[in-house]
Amino acid sequence: KLMDAVSDHHWCIPFSVSGNPEPKLSWLLNGKAVEEGPFIRTMIHDYSDGEYHGCLHLDSPTHINNGKYTLLASNSYGEDRKAVFAHFMHEPWN
């Protein structure tokens, strides 16, 4: 399950993922790998009923962070992906 981005102090793209063993999560932005670091990071907030609930947190995203975010989840039994569009800020020249 993947939902639209919401502003929650920082921006958050919420998700829920289930899998056993625990799936490895990664993100694409417009088809290119997202480099996680201090300003963009995956955080798991809760685990319940076999699901991991979390957010891709974005700290002060700008127009360069706009686009199609794809969550990739994989483990030894398979993989899945879901995508959502996020728009944080208009380009400064428009």
Side-chain angles (χ1 to χ4, degrees), residues 25-86:
L25 304 177
S26 59
W27 293 88
L28 302 175
L29 171 56
N30 298 324
K32 296 183 181 180
V34 172
E35 300 262 343
E36 293 196 36
F39 299 105
I40 300 176
R41 64 197 174 284
T42 302
M43 298 185 73
I44 303 296
H45 299 293
D46 187 32
Y47 173 79
S48 63
D49 298 325
E51 286 190 335
Y52 300 87
H53 307 280
C55 282
L56 177 65
H57 281 266
L58 297 102
D59 186 2
S60 303
T62 67
H63 64 284
I64 63 171
N65 303 105
N66 294 343
K68 178 182 173 185
Y69 282 83
T70 304
L71 173 59
L72 308 171
S74 63
N75 65 17
S76 54
Y77 293 103
E79 62 183 51
D80 197 9
R81 63 178 58 206
K82 297 285 186 232
V84 65
F85 284 90

